[in-house]
Amino acid sequence: MKKNLSIVLIIFLSGCISTFTLKDFESESIKVDNSIDSTIYKIILPYQAKIDFQMDRLLCYTKNDLIKGMPEGNLGNLICDLSLETSKQKADMCIMNNGGLRSIILKGQITERDIFKVMPFENELVVLNLHKDEFYQMLKYVTKRGGEPLGGIKVVQSKDTIRYTLNNKVSIYKDSISVLTTDYLANGGDKMNFFKKKIQKKLNIKLRDAIINYCKKQDTLNIILDQRIIINE
């Protein structure tokens, strides 16, 4: 009886299956108009002109191309040194990262647009303290990577030995060293894990603004390499 019931159920279900055949198909191409809406353009134009005027404003000149480099580059040297000047001696030294410098500045005029290309991020300057052993870990990080932008310090690495001299000689005798960097790096960005969980003292200024303010005060920059990082394999 069960066997016969199963056969009847299969026949019943088979009879419920519907078959559909596609008899007609229509398609329509929708043209995308990428022309500028004149009404919107007229609204934006005054603001665009104001932004362009500000971005193309001359800040100063540079005698040579400002570029990244390893173990050091004159662009990194400039940014670290001006950041230390901005900190008003609140830090013993400064560290940045080449990856955070997104462009170069060619010889000649420096405009605000150039600075935005170099530093498009909203990173702020902060100061934190590292104990001597943590500071040494930071120097190992720098030398292992072949160099990163530094200021206020000279580092010489030879095989397994790293020697350093701070421009602020008094700091050598302290238990901790105050380091200036950005909040992004202070939070462990670019694998700078030695900064994690350290108390950050904010300077309440973005790195980009610090660069712009410094350039406004200059006439002509002549930034050179000074062998602040020497790496001997």
Side-chain angles (χ1 to χ4, degrees):
M1 180 66 183
K2 290 183 179 179
K3 183 176 180 181
N4 294 336
L5 180 61
S6 299
I7 294 172
V8 172
L9 182 60
I10 292 171
I11 295 172
F12 174 77
L13 291 175
S14 298
C16 295
I17 298 174
S18 301
T19 302
F20 297 94
T21 303
L22 182 64
K23 293 183 178 181
D24 193 18
F25 174 76
E26 293 183 2
S27 65
E28 180 182 357
S29 298
I30 301 175
K31 183 179 179 181
V32 178
D33 186 0
N34 59 357
S35 61
I36 299 175
D37 188 307
S38 59
T39 303
I40 297 176
Y41 181 72
K42 287 178 182 179
I43 295 173
I44 295 175
L45 188 59
Y47 300 98
Q48 182 65 46
K50 184 177 180 180
I51 291 172
D52 286 340
F53 176 79
Q54 180 176 338
M55 294 290 280
D56 294 330
R57 183 172 51 186
L58 176 64
L59 300 176
C60 64
Y61 297 87
T62 174
K63 284 188 175 181
N64 37 48
D65 294 343
L66 299 175
I67 61 176
K68 299 186 288 184
M70 296 172 69
E72 66 171 315
N74 58 358
L75 179 60
N77 288 359
L78 168 65
I79 290 177
C80 285
D81 291 347
L82 71 85
S83 295
L84 280 172
E85 183 174 313
T86 302
S87 75
K88 297 179 180 178
Q89 299 181 336
K90 290 189 175 78
D92 297 316
M93 59 85 60
C94 175
I95 180 173
M96 298 295 175
N97 67 322
N98 279 315
L101 308 179
R102 309 303 285 187
S103 185
I104 65 173
I105 300 177
L106 298 177
K107 175 182 177 181
Q109 296 183 349
I110 298 179
T111 65
E112 201 160 312
R113 190 183 301 275
D114 293 320
I115 308 304
F116 268 81
K117 288 180 180 179
V118 171
M119 181 51 56
F121 312 114
E122 301 299 308
N123 298 340
E124 295 188 13
L125 291 175
V126 299
V127 177
L128 31 72
N129 291 325
L130 293 180
H131 294 296
K132 288 291 183 67
D133 57 338
E134 296 168 329
F135 185 73
Y136 189 75
Q137 290 300 315
M138 186 196 77
L139 297 182
K140 285 178 64 177
Y141 166 91
V142 171
T143 56
K144 186 176 180 180
R145 290 170 69 98
E148 291 287 2
L150 297 177
I153 189 173
K154 179 169 183 177
V155 178
V156 179
Q157 183 260 332
S158 181
K159 295 184 178 179
D160 296 330
T161 303
I162 300 176
R163 292 181 288 110
Y164 69 91
T165 304
L166 291 166
N167 293 357
N168 181 4
K169 308 295 184 182
V170 178
S171 298
I172 297 177
Y173 304 101
K174 297 192 301 183
D175 292 331
S176 63
I177 296 171
S178 55
V179 180
L180 173 66
T181 188
T182 65
D183 54 350
Y184 167 73
L185 296 178
N187 289 323
D190 209 0
K191 299 181 180 179
M192 294 196 182
N193 298 322
F194 39 81
F195 284 144
K196 281 186 175 181
K197 298 182 180 179
K198 293 293 180 181
I199 297 175
Q200 301 176 22
K201 300 175 184 177
K202 293 188 176 183
L203 299 187
N204 297 317
I205 184 171
K206 292 181 174 63
L207 175 56
R208 182 178 59 239
D209 292 338
I211 301 171
I212 292 173
N213 292 344
Y214 178 85
C215 288
K216 283 179 179 179
K217 299 175 184 176
Q218 312 304 312
D219 178 72
T220 303
L221 300 177
N222 184 25
I223 311 301
I224 60 174
L225 303 181
D226 53 16
Q227 293 190 312
R228 62 183 65 186
I229 309 178
I230 300 174
I231 299 177
N232 299 313
E233 298 296 339

